[in-house]
Amino acid sequence: MRRVMRCVPVWAAVALGAAAAALAPAAWADGPVPAPPAAPRGPAPPPGPQGPVPAIGRAWPVGVRPVVLRGWEPPATVYGPGHRGVDLAAPPGSPVRAVAPGRVSFAGRVAGRGVVSVELAGTDLRTTYEPVSPSVGEGDRVGAGEVVGTVEPAGAHCGTTACVHWGLLRGGTYLNPLSLLPPWLLNGGPSRLLPVYG
């Protein structure tokens, strides 16, 4: 009986070892578990684009469906050539509206042109409009479609044609401002049901 009792731990150890050996290849089939990443040292890198632009626009900056004189052409590099916004045809004196609700972060002159910048509510985005004679001040809250100024006479940006240069930024990164507009605004209005005859 003592002999049997001495063998039980040995047989148990052998059985556990065999089970571990049988299970080991399956457990290691996907490779070892990676170690957690080390904490970064030094200052954090500047934030880049953080996902898609939400289509929160509720109005065009000018008119109902203005002519796009020049579209968005992102530069290949930070300082490369391109067009960091959209030029919309608008006669001088036309009202310029906020496309979405937000807070005016700047309203004044830059390089001789009137500029209005609006931080869009609930986002990390801001829109810019120029050349505009501002009718709002820094810190003012504006709603979608609310007038923020009027189009100034033609300047250097659009040549002899009067226009509004509409920009969109996330941090220091320029984005396509048309991406703020939902399809019903881009395509000229909501769908309409027509009567069915016959």
Side-chain angles (χ1 to χ4, degrees):
M1 184 73 166
R2 284 186 189 178
R3 229 176 180 186
V4 172
M5 294 300 278
R6 277 191 224 151
C7 292
V8 168
V10 172
W11 284 108
V14 169
L16 286 173
L23 293 174
W28 294 336
D30 292 333
V33 176
R41 292 183 170 196
Q50 303 293 320
V53 173
I56 59 171
R58 294 295 170 257
W60 281 90
V62 290
V64 177
R65 178 66 170 91
V67 173
V68 176
L69 298 174
R70 185 174 177 195
W72 184 64
E73 300 163 17
T77 62
V78 176
Y79 299 107
H83 192 236
R84 295 161 173 84
V86 174
D87 292 342
L88 305 173
S94 299
V96 178
R97 295 178 166 79
V99 298
R103 185 184 66 80
V104 176
S105 58
F106 180 81
R109 301 202 74 73
V110 175
R113 288 183 293 211
V115 177
V116 174
S117 182
V118 178
E119 294 174 350
L120 303 183
T123 73
D124 57 352
L125 302 168
R126 76 180 183 280
T127 56
T128 59
Y129 312 94
E130 64 176 277
V132 174
S133 294
S135 60
V136 292
E138 189 174 329
D140 288 352
R141 298 264 176 208
V142 294
E146 188 173 332
V147 174
V148 296
T150 56
V151 179
E152 290 181 343
H157 188 77
C158 291
T160 58
T161 305
C163 76
V164 168
H165 177 80
W166 174 32
L168 174 66
L169 294 102
R170 176 178 276 138
T173 303
Y174 286 88
L175 304 168
N176 184 357
L178 292 175
S179 59
L180 281 173
L181 300 180
W184 63 269
L185 265 176
L186 283 172
N187 299 326
S191 300
R192 295 188 185 124
L193 297 176
L194 299 174
V196 177
Y197 297 103

